[in-house]
Structures are given as C-alpha cells and as structure tokens.
Amino acid sequence: KPFPAKFPSQRSAVPVPRPKRIILIRHGESQGNRNERIYTETPDWRIPLSEDGLLQAQFAGKEVKTILGNESVYLYHSPYNRTVQT
C-alpha cells in the first residue's frame, strides 16, 4: 500500500499511519566483496551479488516472510543493483 499522497494536518482527526515494525537488512555479499578489483571496472551501483550473496538474499527473504506472514509492507531500498537483488 502506498502512503497517502498528502498526510493529514495536525488539526485533522485522521491518525498518521505508523509502522508496526522496522526491519533493516543489509545487502548480500557482492562481487565487490569477493574481488575489490571489480570497482575499477564496474561502477559501484552496478556491482551485483555474488552466488553466495544470492543465497544470502533468499535466506533473508524467507526469514522476513516468517516474521511478517501475509502482512502488507512498505519497502524502501537503495537503487544499487546489489540491494535490489537482495
């Protein structure tokens, strides 16, 4: 569900939505974590996850699913390739 386009003013009787919880996840292992030389060949934001990083991302996703079940969520992430993959 997207946030409302306009939040209610302080005078409004409609409460502002508040998160039940905030879950922070760091991206999985990237190819740059394995080989720093990749930073000389590829822009930082385009560096993908390593094979282990993809497995870590899958594991993290399953853990979050266990915590949240079928709750609706808001997801915020960096536009970097490795964070999108995670």
Side-chain angles (χ1 to χ4, degrees), residues 42-81:
T42 306
D44 189 23
W45 63 271
R46 294 188 71 187
I47 295 174
L49 294 177
S50 65
E51 287 185 34
D52 285 343
L54 290 169
L55 293 173
Q56 293 165 350
Q58 285 181 328
F59 179 78
K62 289 175 184 174
E63 290 294 309
V64 170
K65 177 70 173 171
T66 300
I67 294 167
L68 297 177
N70 291 324
E71 285 182 38
S72 296
V73 299
Y74 296 102
L75 178 66
Y76 299 92
H77 62 83
S78 162
Y80 278 40
N81 191 18

Side-chain angles (χ1 to χ4, degrees), residues 26-53:
R26 186 179 187 276
H27 63 78
E29 178 188 70
S30 73
Q31 290 180 6
N33 297 130
R34 287 266 170 130
N35 177 7
E36 290 188 12
R37 188 165 183 224
I38 196 169
Y39 290 102
T40 64
E41 304 162 358
T42 306
D44 189 23
W45 63 271
R46 294 188 71 187
I47 295 174
L49 294 177
S50 65
E51 287 185 34
D52 285 343

